[in-house]
Amino acid sequence: MVTIRQIAEEARVSAATVSRILNADTTLSVTDETRERVNRIANKYNYRTRQQKRAPEKNHFSVALLMSHSLERENNDDYWRHIKQGIYEEAQRRGINIAYSARFIEGVDLSRLRNYDALIVTGPISRTAVYELKAINQNIVLVDAGGVHYDDIDDVTPNLGAMTRRILDELRLTAQPNIALVTGQNDLVDLDGQVRQVAEDIRTTTYYQWCREHRLTPIVKSGSWDPQFGVDAAEELMHEAPKLDAIVVASDPLAVGVLKVLKEYNLVPGKDISVVSFGDLELVNYIAPLLTTVRLEHFKIGHAAVRLAEDLARKNRDWVSWVTIPTQLIYRETFTKKQIKR
């Protein structure tokens, strides 16, 4: 049987670091690459911690975690990293073994998936991939699949659509009819890691619906989810729609790029133009002016996914659960409550 010291040697880290990673110590400061490398090696040797060894006596429950996003995306957007962390935290609390984790882009050993009590899939995947997984293992929980619900699949998602509508309504109450949206596209990953389709994000769909209802012309820039696209989108908006009243941004990393461009054009967010984002990630603490953003309960999304997976497998129920995690709009300087005219 492999030991922690052997895993440490192969992972090129200390035995203490391996122990803390495998015990889901969230206070440990290491890179995500290191965490993934250690977990991958431990999975390869079917290594279990003392707590995991004790868990089967009372639990006998194991889960596979499958991720549609790349490690690079996870490193650039704390949203997915915090969801994963929440999954590991809740699994540890409940004595559940995350026995296998993999990213579709790096290859998934499909032959192993039927051996687990449930599968947790984070991020959007194609409809074909969903039902190929379901043919292997009936117990699947999708986590933020981009706003898509399946009649026979459990899922956990934040209430992005409802919050998008609330933001748009509040901006309109400030007499700001010219509202643009800067957003990303959801890559629908197949089981082989390839992206053959993209889909609108739920915030984009909601924005288009809202514009139709209010007979407004939509102004949308949609692309990747990184800060550079935020820069490119804002540059285009400054040239194509110079009289904008507000910009809704679908993620904080995108908002970083948008705010950079507004500063270059000598526009003060919250005064000359309103900006509202989604995420409330740690990085907003270092942005000036302070960003008004939607707090997404990343860790709670992960916690809920584990509880749902356990409930699904243990109760062998014949109904589907869609769990919506509430969000909170955090008013700061780029859009304030005082601006809203009731």
Side-chain angles (χ1 to χ4, degrees):
M1 177 181 171
V2 71
T3 65
I4 279 185
R5 189 173 297 280
Q6 289 171 312
I7 294 173
E9 289 176 357
E10 188 168 337
R12 303 185 302 280
V13 295
S14 69
T17 296
V18 170
S19 177
R20 293 177 68 181
I21 288 173
L22 295 181
N23 283 287
D25 185 346
T26 59
T27 66
L28 178 63
S29 179
V30 295
T31 65
D32 290 327
E33 289 91 340
T34 299
R35 285 187 187 274
E36 292 232 337
R37 186 167 66 252
V38 168
N39 280 306
R40 186 167 59 249
I41 294 169
N43 285 335
K44 180 173 70 173
Y45 294 116
N46 292 317
Y47 180 83
R48 293 186 297 163
T49 64
R50 290 179 181 177
Q51 182 171 349
Q52 290 168 339
K53 289 176 183 176
R54 289 195 297 268
E57 299 174 4
K58 59 179 181 179
N59 205 328
H60 299 284
F61 200 89
S62 64
V63 168
L65 172 61
L66 308 176
M67 295 162 281
S68 71
H69 46 278
S70 67
L71 180 59
E72 180 183 7
R73 168 81 186 277
E74 191 174 290
N75 286 339
N76 291 331
D77 190 339
D78 283 348
Y79 177 70
W80 294 111
R81 183 162 61 88
H82 289 167
I83 287 177
K84 183 176 73 173
Q85 195 170 327
I87 290 170
Y88 275 95
E89 286 176 352
E90 186 67 15
Q92 185 181 35
R93 273 195 292 267
R94 304 177 83 83
I96 292 172
N97 181 23
I98 306 293
Y100 178 67
S101 66
R103 299 181 188 276
F104 292 108
I105 195 172
E106 296 171 358
V108 173
D109 185 352
L110 299 178
S111 65
R112 299 178 61 168
L113 301 184
R114 67 180 70 255
N115 300 324
Y116 305 114
D117 293 285
L119 311 179
I120 297 176
V121 183
T122 61
I125 61 175
S126 69
R127 183 180 183 87
T128 300
V130 168
Y131 285 104
E132 285 176 345
L133 288 175
K134 190 171 177 63
I136 298 171
N137 191 319
Q138 289 286 310
N139 299 325
I140 303 175
V141 175
L142 301 179
V143 181
D144 194 354
V148 178
H149 296 291
Y150 296 89
D151 291 340
D152 52 351
I153 306 285
D154 284 28
D155 68 44
V156 183
T157 185
N159 66 334
L160 298 177
M163 182 55 76
T164 300
R165 183 171 289 274
R166 173 185 162 182
I167 291 167
L168 293 168
D169 286 340
E170 291 192 1
L171 287 169
R172 190 165 182 266
L173 285 171
T174 66
Q176 300 185 56
N178 297 316
I179 305 168
L181 175 70
V182 175
T183 185
Q185 292 179 331
N186 289 326
D187 293 336
L188 301 182
V189 180
D190 287 328
L191 295 191
D192 60 3
Q194 297 298 308
V195 176
R196 297 178 176 87
Q197 295 174 281
V198 295
E200 272 186 0
D201 183 76
I202 184 62
R203 285 158 286 203
T204 308
T205 304
T206 302
Y207 172 81
Y208 278 121
Q209 290 173 344
W210 185 88
C211 286
R212 283 195 297 271
E213 292 167 10
H214 293 87
R215 298 181 180 179
L216 296 172
T217 302
I219 308 168
V220 178
K221 296 297 175 184
S222 181
S224 62
W225 291 93
D226 57 87
Q228 183 56 51
F229 178 71
V231 170
D232 297 339
E235 286 280 5
E236 291 178 13
L237 288 173
M238 291 301 98
H239 287 95
E240 298 170 11
K243 294 183 179 181
L244 276 180
D245 297 307
I247 304 176
V248 177
V249 190
S251 76
D252 289 343
L254 285 173
V256 171
V258 170
L259 293 177
K260 179 178 182 294
V261 172
L262 295 180
K263 183 177 180 180
E264 292 171 356
Y265 279 79
N266 296 315
L267 294 174
V268 179
K271 183 178 179 181
D272 302 314
I273 185 170
S274 295
V275 179
V276 184
S277 180
F278 283 80
D280 196 34
L281 302 178
E282 185 179 355
L283 63 86
V284 305
N285 296 317
Y286 307 99
I287 296 175
L290 295 175
L291 182 64
T292 296
T293 185
V294 176
R295 179 170 295 160
L296 306 177
E297 300 291 353
H298 325 101
F299 295 100
K300 291 181 182 178
I301 293 171
H303 299 166
V306 173
R307 292 195 295 269
L308 197 57
E310 185 177 26
D311 178 78
L312 175 63
R314 286 195 182 284
K315 293 184 178 178
N316 194 28
R317 51 181 163 79
D318 57 0
W319 69 89
V320 170
S321 290
W322 296 345
V323 177
T324 301
I325 304 298
T327 57
Q328 182 182 0
L329 181 56
I330 308 298
Y331 296 95
R332 297 192 180 96
E333 295 175 344
T334 61
F335 178 62
T336 67
K337 258 187 174 180
K338 293 179 182 179
Q339 295 173 258
I340 303 172
K341 301 172 184 177
R342 300 290 181 181

